[in-house]
Amino acid sequence: MAMTASSRAPQGGGSSETERSPFIRLTELLAPHQPGKPLITLSLGEPQHPVPDFVGPVLAKHVADFGRYPLAKGIEPFRKAAASWLGHRFRLPRPVDPDSEVLVLNGSREGLFFAALTAVRYVGERRGRPAILMPNPFYPVYGAGARAAGCEQVYLPTTVENGFLPDLDAIDEATLARTVAFYIASPANPQGSVATRGYFTKLKALADRFGFVILSDECYSEVYTKEAPGSALECAGPDFARVVAFQSLSKRSNLPGLRVGFAAGDKTFLNMFHELRNVAAPQVPVPLQHVATVAYGDEAHVEENRRLYRIKFDLADQILGNRYGYRRPDAGFCVWLDVSALGGDEAVTVKLYREGGVRVVPGSYLARLQPDGFNPGAGFIRLALVQDGETTAEALHRLVETLG
């Protein structure tokens, strides 16, 4: 089935509100109100588990390195650690070359943004207006990157019907022929769906046929309570052509403030990416890269992180049951609840805040309107289970008591 106009971004006016940060919009929505109980924040996906013990000693050991400018490419120990971790964690067609196929990032967000600019140069001229495809709902930086790159944002609705992943069969060939890049998030934010090996293989075939690059956001890959998610790199072929995966320590190692991640894959793309980053991107302090090197060499703290999330999802299973369309996600730490029958996502968000003291995000704020007025996030709310178990249980009980 071909994608219709209703799947593409609206032109001109009508989208200005949804271009803004969902968290600024949430703050404005709740500004006239006061929380009815001591506030519990489940809106921001900021991990709250303890920082790993090794962080302080490693920083102290390398504090003198704050006195020099970092190289954009990243220090060799970090690149080797990232490449080694990829090889152990995923079933790759061959080992990743740390010298040409890994680049350090100041967190995955800025890397995902600058990657859109690189993709335009990497792909070259398109047939028609260049386009960047992305799931809808999605991480807002995808849209920001597409806008900065001068590309049309093409939104691919992710719904219950398509398993909360873009329907690859629904994209028409004319759109694919002008596609520069395809952002895919697996595990998905906010729904937690995971792309199968078959899905990645199909997407790679489209990238090869139409000449675009896959920008695979995998920052939630290490937070799972079922099977470990795979990577787009597993299906990228022996040269990783047209595939770049993005990783971060924010979720994996509970280090959102460290701002260290990496991009790995297609060496031609990464060479261009490096050239851009040398003049435009934020550099990563060397002491932080040393912390990241140790983090990628240690799995004990990651398994402890997963254990804590398992406890909270067990609580969600018990407290939410089958209410609000709840299902335990394949991965990630978010819960995506259907409140369309309870007055809609904005009304429920205000009600939970005013009566229950629980702060969540309306799903419509995380998505974009299609030209036909359909918003795939409307009627849902997102909860990030980042607080401790006791606080999470209290928030979930309040939610059920408030909404019924």
Side-chain angles (χ1 to χ4, degrees):
M1 182 178 71
M3 178 188 297
T4 65
S6 66
S7 297
R8 292 195 290 272
Q11 301 298 308
S15 65
S16 59
E17 185 65 16
T18 56
E19 292 296 314
R20 302 171 65 229
S21 163
F23 301 107
I24 291 176
R25 295 180 65 194
L26 173 62
T27 297
E28 292 173 353
L29 175 70
L30 299 180
H33 311 286
Q34 294 296 321
K37 295 181 180 179
L39 183 63
I40 300 176
T41 297
L42 301 182
S43 54
L44 187 62
E46 181 181 59
Q48 300 294 306
H49 297 167
V51 170
D53 293 339
F54 55 74
V55 173
V58 174
L59 279 177
K61 182 179 178 181
H62 296 280
V63 69
D65 286 327
F66 280 116
R68 60 191 180 99
Y69 288 120
L71 295 174
K73 188 174 186 177
I75 61 173
E76 183 179 23
F78 171 78
R79 287 183 283 109
K80 285 185 174 180
S84 176
W85 176 77
L86 283 171
H88 286 101
R89 171 63 176 81
F90 300 106
R91 295 182 295 164
L92 303 182
R94 64 163 173 81
V96 170
D97 180 2
D99 290 328
S100 63
E101 295 173 335
V102 176
L103 280 180
V104 72
L105 302 175
N106 201 307
S108 61
R109 180 168 66 174
E110 64 88 1
L112 289 161
F113 174 82
F114 282 104
L117 279 66
T118 303
V120 172
R121 180 185 170 200
Y122 171 88
V123 171
E125 189 173 347
R126 298 277 80 186
R127 285 183 254 166
R129 183 185 177 190
I132 291 182
L133 280 56
M134 62 198 74
N136 191 23
F138 64 100
Y139 190 32
V141 76
Y142 306 162
R147 289 195 303 277
C151 296
E152 179 184 353
Q153 302 158 61
V154 176
Y155 307 125
L156 309 176
T158 57
T159 63
V160 173
E161 289 74 22
N162 58 27
F164 295 117
L165 290 170
D167 183 352
L168 302 181
D169 294 326
I171 310 172
D172 63 83
E173 293 199 1
T175 298
L176 290 168
R178 61 190 182 89
T179 297
V180 167
F182 191 122
Y183 281 109
I184 182 69
S186 177
N189 177 11
Q191 310 99 331
S193 298
V194 171
T196 64
R197 189 176 185 87
Y199 187 95
F200 278 134
T201 299
K202 190 171 189 176
L203 180 56
K204 175 60 162 61
L206 290 175
D208 288 341
R209 179 183 171 193
F210 292 96
F212 60 82
V213 62
I214 299 167
L215 304 177
S216 185
D217 181 356
E218 301 173 7
C219 73
Y220 284 94
S221 70
E222 305 313 290
V223 180
Y224 55 88
T225 65
K226 300 179 181 180
E227 296 182 5
S231 169
L233 292 175
E234 295 179 320
C235 307
D239 54 1
F240 302 118
R242 304 192 180 281
V243 177
V244 182
F246 295 80
Q247 279 284 348
S248 168
L249 289 172
S250 296
K251 278 72 177 179
R252 174 189 180 271
S253 296
N254 199 54
L255 290 170
L258 191 72
R259 309 314 305 139
V260 180
F262 67 84
D266 184 317
K267 65 181 179 182
T268 301
F269 181 96
L270 290 179
N271 183 55
M272 294 180 179
F273 198 27
H274 183 212
E275 289 180 358
L276 174 63
R277 297 179 60 74
N278 254 326
V279 297
Q283 297 161 305
V284 183
V286 172
L288 305 189
Q289 293 188 56
H290 282 294
V291 173
T293 300
V294 175
Y296 277 117
D298 179 77
E299 290 295 326
H301 76 284
V302 185
E303 178 50 42
E304 172 60 13
N305 210 28
R306 279 195 288 269
R307 185 186 71 83
L308 295 174
Y309 283 118
R310 279 196 295 270
I311 290 172
K312 289 183 282 189
F313 276 106
D314 288 344
L315 289 169
D317 291 349
Q318 296 165 18
I319 297 169
L320 296 178
N322 59 2
R323 297 180 178 89
Y324 328 117
Y326 168 75
R327 68 174 185 89
R328 188 173 181 133
D330 295 327
F333 51 54
C334 294
V335 169
W336 190 238
L337 299 181
D338 184 351
V339 294
S340 56
L342 301 174
D345 53 325
E346 285 187 316
V348 166
T349 296
V350 172
K351 183 179 179 68
L352 284 173
Y353 184 74
R354 289 183 58 184
E355 299 180 21
V358 179
R359 187 182 177 108
V360 301
V361 181
S364 59
Y365 290 9
L366 302 172
R368 298 291 186 265
L369 285 174
Q370 312 285 174
D372 62 359
F374 174 56
N375 183 319
F380 290 85
I381 55 172
R382 190 192 78 170
L383 287 61
L385 302 190
V386 293
Q387 304 291 344
D388 62 76
E390 183 178 353
T391 304
T392 298
E394 172 65 18
L396 295 175
H397 280 301
R398 289 190 200 174
L399 185 148
V400 171
E401 290 168 1
T402 302
L403 300 184

